Amino acid sequence: MRPFAYEAALDADAALRMATTSGAAAEYLAGGTNLLDLMKIGVAKPSALVDISALRTEHGAISADAEGLSLGALVHMAEAAEHPAVLRHYPVIAQSLRLAASQQLRNMATLAGNVLQRTRCNYFPDPSWSACNKREPGTGCATMEGVNRRLALLGTSEHCIAHYPGDFGNVLAALGAEVTVLAPDGAARRIGFEELHRLPGDRPDRETTLRSGEIITGFRVPAGP
């Protein structure tokens, strides 16, 4: 693992400020179940980690009303999967979260971290394969002629056929959910979940439409019939 700076933020304003001053290579750290693994094997190389665990006070709640379901970004996967309102009115969310990982991981991983998880393409987390446009833009795509049976058929490009691995994310898209995002200047915006992730195009390393320093604060799922 490469050296990195570490800072712990006590609130969203502090987190945004720390991420901005730490540079473009800074990453937010919550559960860390995906990020830390990738750092250990040399795939993720952040210059700094901004620990946002304390933001659970602001963005770690679940609430439901007649209009829909609100999920804080820092809610743990296990909490959402076991919440009475989710189980009763949005069982597909609970099912997707229970299928996504082991109980140990669900106890630690956050909902925002889950939707930002990286691909499980065999070549991406293995630096011994130099050709991976998602890991190192411009190097090629080893999976085009390699082990690719489990990868994407639709929404690909000549530069990448890796697929998005999230069960929970697919459910959010199907339910017409929205994502609330906070920018470094403090402005909040809400986007449809299907607008969060980018198609690979010619820059598969750019996986989301989040702008530099932005942080996901929550999800809103509208009530269905």
Side-chain angles (χ1 to χ4, degrees), residues 92-177:
V92 67
I93 292 179
Q95 293 162 9
S96 70
L97 291 171
R98 286 199 299 269
L99 291 170
S102 68
Q103 183 66 40
Q104 292 92 334
L105 288 175
R106 296 198 300 269
N107 288 340
M108 191 72 182
T110 64
L111 298 183
N114 180 272
V115 302
L116 296 177
Q117 64 182 298
R118 309 298 298 277
T119 183
R120 298 299 191 269
C121 171
N122 292 342
Y123 300 94
F124 172 73
D126 187 352
S128 66
W129 293 92
S130 58
C132 178
N133 288 322
K134 189 172 284 292
R135 182 171 11 95
E136 296 289 345
T139 58
C141 179
T143 195
M144 290 288 190
E145 302 298 330
V147 180
N148 54 29
R149 188 176 180 86
R150 296 181 300 141
L151 298 184
L153 296 175
L154 304 176
T156 65
S157 75
E158 61 181 331
H159 302 283
C160 184
I161 59 173
H163 71 288
Y164 169 72
D167 301 285
F168 174 58
N170 280 286
V171 168
L172 292 180
L175 295 180

Side-chain angles (χ1 to χ4, degrees), residues 21 55 92 142 157 186 209 225:
T21 57
L55 272 63
V92 67
S157 75
T209 57

Side-chain angles (χ1 to χ4, degrees), residues 179-183 187-191 195 209-211 214 217:
V179 185
T180 303
V181 177
L182 195 61
R189 66 187 180 104
R190 184 175 287 182
I191 59 175
E195 300 173 25
T209 57
L210 293 177
R211 300 161 188 164
E214 284 189 326
T217 58

Side-chain angles (χ1 to χ4, degrees), residues 64-69 85-86 88-93 171 174-177 220-225:
D65 55 32
E67 300 301 318
L69 174 72
V86 176
R88 181 173 182 179
H89 300 294
Y90 305 87
V92 67
I93 292 179
V171 168
L175 295 180
R220 179 68 177 173
V221 183

